Amino acid sequence: MTSSDAHPDLLLLTRPGCHLCEAARTVLERIRADLGVGWREQSIEGDADLTSRFGEEIPVLLIDGIQRDFWQLDEARIRRLLGA
């Protein structure tokens, strides 16, 4: 990571009642606790564009706006992407 990437934007796209989304939250919380990298969550429910683009892949992790993982988040891969 370069200095401009010091604080990557992690966005988890979810939908209510998604059991894979809960598992993804757990992965991201472990990463946050270890690396201090914050993340945010957004539901695709009610957003036609997001539902059209990502509806079959939820949960989806975007890092700096780029889709990096979906369904079952790979914690080791995410850590590598974050430079840990």
Side-chain angles (χ1 to χ4, degrees), residues 3-61:
S3 60
S4 64
D5 296 327
H7 301 286
D9 178 39
L10 276 66
L11 174 61
L12 181 65
L13 299 176
T14 63
R15 86 168 96 231
C18 167
H19 70 283
L20 292 176
C21 298
E22 188 58 40
R25 288 181 195 101
T26 300
V27 166
L28 292 177
E29 275 302 305
R30 276 195 304 263
I31 291 171
R32 183 201 56 74
D34 290 347
L35 304 179
V37 176
W39 61 278
R40 56 195 176 93
E41 182 175 338
Q42 180 178 343
S43 175
I44 66 167
E45 190 164 290
D47 187 314
D49 181 50
L50 290 177
T51 299
S52 173
R53 289 176 61 198
F54 301 112
E56 298 299 318
E57 299 178 341
I58 293 301
V60 171
L61 177 64

